[in-house]
Amino acid sequence: MIESTIETILFSIFGASDPAFVFFLLLLVTLGGILITLSVHLIPVGGAPAAMAQATGVGTGTTQLAAGSGLSGLLVAVAVSVETQNMFLGIILGGIGAAVMISLVMLMSNIGYIYGIGVPPASGKAVRDPITNDRQDIYVSKGTEGHGVPTASFISGIFGGFLGGAGGSLIYEALIRTTQVSSALFIVLAVILSIALFFINAVIASYNIGGTIEGFYDEKFKKLARSVVVSAAVTFICGALCLLTFINFGGFI
Amino acid sequence: MLANPIVGTLLCLSGIYAAALWPGTGFAFMAGFGMIFAILFASEAVRKISKYGLGTGVPSVGMFSIGIGCVISLYSLSLNSIWGPAVCAVLALIIGWVSGFLINKVLHMNIPSMEKRMSEMAVGSTLAMTASAIVIGGTLDSGFILQNFIGVGVAALGFIGCSLAIFHAFNANLGPDEAADRTRTLAILDGFLVMFVLGIVSFLSGDVVGPLVTIFISIVFILLTSYRYWTYIQRDAWKITSTGLLPGEEDLN
């Protein structure tokens, strides 16, 4: 009795789509939001100090960096998904697209730091690089917290870019599967909604790390759990609205 | 008084309803005025919260609010109901308050009045984005909005235009000599610039009268507000000097 009542209510909310399937898609959207939050914690961001070579990381804000890589990943994912209709291929290639983008950004900023400003890439938070085991502290200039993108940060950034791109693509793939109708209008709608969810999660993660992080070996990375809780809660609410938007607009094609 | 959130919400809603209920597109510019009232109180909230020093830059808070605003406004536009904009204002109030509470308490930002400002920003950006959809055609019909606002990609313009108008004013004027009236004037100027661009792209929907009226009114107000902003700059600056042209190659030798 109770089950049938709940089912009626769910049907009245979700329309003709199967409520269990829509709830599964909502969980996928939430997972995508959590992946984006994780990605921001892995990308080395230095903020304004890094732009003056006074902190480790790329010299721009977290939101801009995550969005730049994630949106290029989303572009790849949409192109692949439209061509092949394959969900997993779209997600994985979206992640790779974002990883390529963030690698290029880190490489170009390293060239700028090394040959333009004349500083060696060095971490201010670790005495030895966790991956290559090289000494870091003797290369850090006095009065700064490191500069450039050292090896451990670079590899961390590639993984961060991959997770961010895959998370954004996962949100897109989940949203586009809400309705059975295939239309170019829905692709545009799904892209815009996934960009909105991308920015929400990138900013939540960026508030958690206070604007700067060096990578997986940074002390701030241990605060990840809090950010995941907030991101999951906010993405769940906003993701439900996104799915309802899709179902409502489905009647106008 | 116009920067008060309650007054701003009421003025914005009346602008949206005046544009939507009037038959034809001749009154679509009223939604543009509504958008500017919403941008005005959202940028006032950005101004108040960014003074605490978020550590991630002023744009991050603008991108967060427009992320929430985009999701809720597209949901409200998909309802195909006259109550859509009013419902989305209430939803934005709740979701903004919840996300502000989670960010403040779980992420330990510990900024006083974070919940209040977050909900103000969420309501402002939601109403601004909804109004930018009404400027295109002066109607709340979901089919029209899906074709001419989302389908042709104008929603992305509304997304980034409203977010720029919300955070740019304080980001450009911050500092020890920041004056409230100068910041507000710049927010209004940004809003009219967004309205001008929306007027141009609303030719895409095949209408002529509405876009022409919107463009004419926005040009008049852009000139008036720029003049006002210039007088404020002259009042606040200690001295305005011309740097002259860059030296030519023969001057350096």
Side-chain angles (χ1 to χ4, degrees):
Chain A
M1 178 64 195
I2 295 169
E3 279 174 10
S4 64
T5 319
I6 292 171
E7 208 161 73
T8 321
I9 292 168
L10 281 176
F11 264 105
S12 66
I13 292 171
F14 291 120
S17 303
D18 182 17
F21 180 62
V22 171
F23 190 72
F24 173 68
L25 290 177
L26 181 54
L27 291 182
L28 281 186
V29 170
T30 314
L31 178 66
I34 292 170
L35 282 179
I36 293 165
T37 306
L38 186 58
S39 103
V40 174
H41 282 75
L42 285 170
I43 295 175
V45 194
M52 301 178 286
Q54 291 180 355
T56 310
V58 182
T60 184
T62 329
T63 325
Q64 283 81 359
L65 209 53
S69 68
L71 298 188
S72 51
L74 196 60
L75 198 68
V76 178
V78 175
V80 171
S81 168
V82 169
E83 281 294 322
T84 63
Q85 309 292 330
N86 189 333
M87 186 173 179
F88 295 102
L89 199 64
I91 292 168
I92 290 170
L93 285 179
I96 290 173
V100 168
M101 183 70 200
I102 195 79
S103 308
L104 283 174
V105 169
M106 290 188 293
L107 181 70
M108 293 317 287
S109 63
N110 253 0
I111 289 172
Y113 286 126
I114 295 167
Y115 296 105
I117 304 176
V119 289
S123 161
K125 299 269 170 67
V127 178
R128 285 185 180 276
D129 189 306
I131 290 177
T132 59
N133 219 15
D134 291 336
R135 269 302 276 282
Q136 299 289 311
D137 52 342
I138 48 176
Y139 295 102
V140 176
S141 311
K142 274 186 182 169
T144 69
E145 295 171 10
H147 22 62
V149 186
T151 315
S153 296
F154 201 103
I155 291 168
S156 169
I158 295 174
F159 278 105
F162 179 81
L163 289 178
S169 316
L170 182 60
I171 294 178
Y172 166 79
E173 299 281 357
L175 288 178
I176 201 75
R177 271 161 183 76
T178 317
T179 53
Q180 310 298 321
V181 191
S182 80
S183 163
L185 298 175
F186 281 141
I187 295 174
V188 182
L189 185 59
V191 167
I192 288 170
L193 288 175
S194 26
I195 290 172
L197 288 176
F198 201 98
F199 273 117
I200 292 172
N201 286 295
V203 174
I204 286 173
S206 139
Y207 282 157
N208 192 31
I209 60 178
T212 61
I213 194 164
E214 287 192 6
F216 66 90
Y217 58 90
D218 199 306
E219 286 286 308
K220 290 175 185 169
F221 189 71
K222 291 170 186 159
K223 295 199 287 185
L224 178 68
R226 291 186 211 158
S227 182
V228 167
V229 171
V230 179
S231 158
V234 177
T235 318
F236 191 83
I237 302 170
C238 292
L241 283 179
C242 289
L243 293 172
L244 287 177
T245 308
F246 253 86
I247 292 164
N248 285 343
F249 271 129
F252 292 97
I253 291 292
Chain B
M1 196 197 90
L2 289 179
N4 186 314
I6 299 169
V7 177
T9 309
L10 291 176
L11 283 171
C12 179
L13 281 175
S14 47
I16 287 175
Y17 281 124
L21 296 179
W22 194 270
T25 53
F27 251 49
F29 70 91
M30 289 300 285
F33 281 115
M35 183 178 77
I36 283 147
F37 287 124
I39 285 171
L40 185 59
F41 76 81
S43 70
E44 185 74 9
V46 170
R47 174 176 164 268
K48 281 174 180 160
I49 200 168
S50 299
K51 284 189 169 178
Y52 286 102
L54 298 164
T56 56
V58 181
S60 70
V61 78
M63 296 318 293
F64 181 77
S65 68
I66 198 69
I68 290 183
C70 176
V71 170
I72 303 170
S73 69
L74 289 184
Y75 171 68
S76 79
L77 291 171
S78 76
L79 290 176
N80 197 22
S81 155
I82 199 71
W83 298 108
V87 167
C88 82
V90 178
L91 264 179
L93 192 68
I94 297 166
I95 294 178
W97 198 91
V98 168
S99 55
F101 178 80
L102 285 173
I103 287 173
N104 211 12
K105 294 291 182 303
V106 182
L107 298 185
H108 299 299
M109 290 284 278
N110 291 328
I111 291 176
S113 80
M114 180 94 174
E115 295 90 344
K116 190 168 174 245
R117 303 296 170 222
M118 274 290 179
S119 41
E120 281 175 16
M121 275 186 288
V123 173
S125 47
T126 308
L127 285 174
M129 178 111 182
T130 312
S132 72
I134 315 289
V135 176
I136 301 293
T139 173
L140 275 168
D141 176 37
S142 295
F144 182 87
I145 284 166
L146 183 62
Q147 288 284 345
N148 292 300
F149 181 65
I150 297 164
V152 291
V154 180
L157 184 73
F159 179 89
I160 205 73
C162 291
S163 77
L164 274 176
I166 285 167
F167 72 72
H168 172 241
F170 185 71
N171 206 23
N173 282 318
L174 60 81
D177 63 340
E178 193 263 338
D181 52 0
R182 186 154 50 93
T183 311
R184 284 176 198 164
T185 315
L186 186 56
I188 297 171
L189 175 57
D190 287 338
F192 278 113
L193 285 170
V194 177
M195 185 174 158
F196 175 66
V197 180
L198 285 173
I200 292 173
V201 294
S202 56
F203 278 120
L204 289 173
S205 63
D207 195 61
V208 179
V209 181
L212 282 177
V213 175
T214 311
I215 289 173
F216 176 74
I217 289 175
S218 56
I219 286 176
V220 169
F221 277 93
I222 283 170
L223 294 175
L224 287 175
T225 345
S226 321
Y227 181 73
R228 190 82 180 273
Y229 185 58
W230 178 236
T231 58
Y232 282 141
I233 289 174
Q234 283 176 318
R235 183 199 66 189
D236 291 344
W238 180 67
K239 194 180 181 186
I240 296 174
T241 57
S242 170
T243 53
L245 296 171
L246 285 171
E249 201 155 310
E250 58 267 20
D251 299 335
L252 291 170
N253 293 325

